[in-house]
Amino acid sequence: MASTSGWSALLLGKNGLRSAALAGGVALHAINVYLVTTLLPSVVQDIGGLDYYAWNTTLFVVASIIGSVLSTRALARLGPKAAYGLAGLVFMLGCSLCALAADMGWLILGRSVQGLGGGLLFALPYAMIRLVFDEPLWPRAMALISAMWGAATLIGPAVGGVFAEHGAWRAAFWVLLPCTLLCMLLAVVLLPGKSRETAPRSPIPGLQLLLLTGVVLAISIGSITPSLLYNALGLGAGLGLLMLVFGLENRSAARLLPRNSLRPGSALLALYVSMALLVVGMTSEVFVPLFLQVLHRQTPLLAGYIAALMAAGWTLGAIFSSGLGPRGAARAIAAGPLLVVAGLLLACLFMPATATPVLSLGAVCLAMLLVGVGIGLAWPHLLSRVLEQAPEDQKELAGASITTVQLVATALGAALAGMIVNLAGLGSSGGTARAAAWLFGVYAGLSLLLFVSVRQVRRHGRSALAEA
């Protein structure tokens, strides 16, 4: 292993191939996310299942959460080589099921299997950096792996859009198989067979994971019909199960979050609520390609890229914000909610295509960027404060909790988005425009809660500075 810390030490020779194997796993998961978002309108046209549109995201993300939580155990017990190979096999099985799907139920099953493998592929590389590279290379390896999400915003919509425009959406899933196989071969040849890590002693928070799955399923099942009563029952059941999760987190030895995270008034609770609300606002992008193709008559390729503007904005905002000092970080956290709410309101006004086509499409593009930049400005500083506020003996769990909160919020946001658009009459005459207005309007309203949670975050930040 190289002893220097430059990019050449990471990207050349054996380290370069190891980097390709680890970054490739994250890239596969990330590209798949944007590929499927772009493909879904074409899939629905072919096999139906519009009422279950959001399920493709919700169950994929729930399975990703499970895969992510299990990744450290798989790494400790199987070793890097076998754990990575298992993740690739599960992901390939999911891709094959999706490619062969005859109806929406079959596709959702494939997406769930894909999510489990994708969660492992997403989490394992971060855990393996310490095992594969010398310590001076860790920061650059982390940056390289994280950069795969930026690359995915370019590659995913392009691949999905091209296949969708040629009526060959199944082929897009088949293409992922040789790419995954290549990453697996690199892993088998180059990664160590055994792990230096010991298996985590803390038990898996299995009951919390089961209940969180129940939360998402309850909301998703409630959204199947446009009945307000049925949707209210699903939402109520989901919220009830979520309260059970909170209760377990406060009492159980097996935790998803650090100790006292859910205590009212705690700094961690304000941080996690802010993170969750930001991510929920972004889940509106699940329906953006569908709205753009139906309401604005855009091609799948262009619709996919416009939807990806949120992720691109997130990256730009994070890059700009990451180097700010304490005062600049506080201002970035405060600016985030303003931009997110402004972007969602702009989408609410112009996604239904109420103005001239060029003006409407331009406003939608600006809206996507505003939401993404708002999240990106606040996100790095919220994450840093999570690590700062966590108890010393809970720092490792705090790091893992960031991914957990992000994925749980994504699943809940997508499930709620499915409920809103179905209640608004998606698929009925005039229903798509109504669904777009309601989705972005409701999410703008939810995002107003960010001003409350961010105020608490800033208050705790001022207290920490005063104590220092």
Side-chain angles (χ1 to χ4, degrees):
M1 289 185 284
S3 59
T4 59
S5 59
W7 282 109
S8 60
L10 181 69
L11 299 177
L12 298 178
K14 278 192 174 182
N15 274 349
L17 293 174
R18 293 185 183 114
S19 297
L22 298 189
V26 175
L28 282 168
H29 176 72
I31 288 169
N32 178 63
V33 169
Y34 293 105
L35 180 149
V36 175
T37 300
T38 306
L39 280 178
L40 268 180
S42 300
V43 175
V44 168
Q45 287 181 2
D46 186 22
I47 63 175
L50 183 61
D51 291 342
Y52 298 88
Y53 192 96
W55 284 53
N56 284 277
T57 298
T58 56
L59 293 187
F60 174 85
V61 175
V62 166
S64 295
I65 296 169
I66 296 171
S68 178
V69 170
L70 294 177
S71 63
T72 53
R73 274 115 180 135
L75 181 60
R77 294 179 183 177
L78 300 176
K81 197 187 299 276
Y84 206 87
L86 175 64
L89 287 174
V90 175
F91 185 75
M92 290 173 68
L93 174 61
C95 292
S96 300
L97 289 171
C98 291
L100 296 169
D103 54 43
M104 186 57 74
W106 189 339
L107 182 71
I108 290 171
L109 173 62
R111 290 284 288 155
S112 300
V113 177
Q114 233 190 8
L116 181 61
L120 287 166
L121 286 173
F122 176 43
L124 281 171
Y126 287 100
M128 286 195 280
I129 284 174
R130 293 181 300 156
L131 306 177
V132 175
F133 302 113
D134 287 335
E135 187 170 351
L137 291 174
W138 291 356
R140 293 191 188 276
M142 194 74 73
L144 176 66
I145 289 174
S146 299
M148 293 303 101
W149 283 95
T153 62
L154 298 175
I155 299 171
V159 175
V162 168
F163 282 105
E165 288 185 14
H166 288 83
W169 63 267
R170 298 178 189 275
F173 290 107
W174 290 125
V175 165
L176 291 173
L177 296 184
C179 299
T180 308
L181 187 59
L182 177 60
C183 287
M184 289 173 59
L185 289 174
L186 286 173
V188 168
V189 172
L190 296 166
L191 296 183
K194 294 183 179 180
S195 174
R196 299 196 299 262
E197 304 286 306
T198 57
R201 294 181 180 179
S202 59
I204 296 173
L207 189 52
Q208 287 98 309
L209 289 173
L210 182 63
L211 288 172
L212 282 172
T213 303
V215 171
V216 176
L217 285 175
I219 297 173
S220 298
I221 292 171
S223 70
I224 292 175
T225 73
S227 165
L228 183 60
L229 176 61
Y230 202 70
N231 280 260
L233 288 173
L235 185 60
L239 292 175
L241 291 172
L242 191 59
M243 294 307 296
L244 286 177
V245 174
F246 288 172
L248 280 171
E249 275 292 300
N250 287 327
R251 298 191 308 269
S252 177
R255 297 177 181 276
L256 291 168
L257 306 175
R259 187 172 54 250
N260 296 324
S261 293
L262 301 180
R263 178 172 53 82
S266 73
L268 283 173
L269 179 60
L271 288 163
Y272 286 135
V273 169
S274 299
M275 290 166 58
L277 287 171
L278 288 172
V279 172
V280 166
M282 188 170 179
T283 57
S284 56
E285 72 172 352
V286 171
F287 285 93
V288 169
L290 178 66
F291 293 155
L292 288 171
Q293 290 182 47
V294 174
L295 299 173
H296 295 264
R297 306 300 179 191
Q298 297 302 310
T299 65
L301 181 62
L302 187 57
Y305 271 116
I306 293 174
L309 285 175
M310 271 198 197
W314 184 335
T315 301
L316 292 173
I319 291 172
F320 173 80
S321 180
S322 58
L324 297 175
R327 293 185 182 278
R331 287 194 292 269
I333 291 174
L338 286 169
L339 295 178
V340 169
V341 172
L344 291 170
L345 286 175
L346 198 61
C348 174
L349 292 173
F350 289 96
M351 186 64 85
T354 55
T356 58
V358 174
L359 176 62
S360 293
L361 196 61
V364 168
C365 292
L366 177 60
M368 300 298 105
L369 275 174
L370 285 175
V371 174
V373 170
I375 297 171
L377 286 175
W379 193 258
H381 308 295
L382 295 176
L383 268 55
S384 297
R385 294 190 184 194
V386 167
L387 298 178
E388 292 167 4
Q389 295 289 340
E392 283 300 322
D393 62 336
Q394 302 271 286
K395 297 292 188 186
E396 186 174 346
L397 180 58
S401 72
I402 291 169
T403 302
T404 302
V405 170
Q406 182 177 351
L407 290 173
V408 169
T410 301
L412 289 174
L416 184 59
M419 177 175 285
I420 292 168
V421 299
N422 284 341
L423 271 174
L426 181 68
S428 63
S429 177
T432 304
R434 193 163 55 248
W438 272 97
L439 176 60
F440 290 108
V442 171
Y443 273 22
L446 280 176
S447 296
L448 290 174
L449 296 174
L450 277 166
F451 293 103
V452 179
S453 63
V454 161
R455 183 179 179 183
Q456 294 298 311
V457 168
R458 298 185 72 197
R459 181 173 64 81
H460 284 292
R462 286 193 294 268
S463 300
L465 285 174
E467 290 174 4

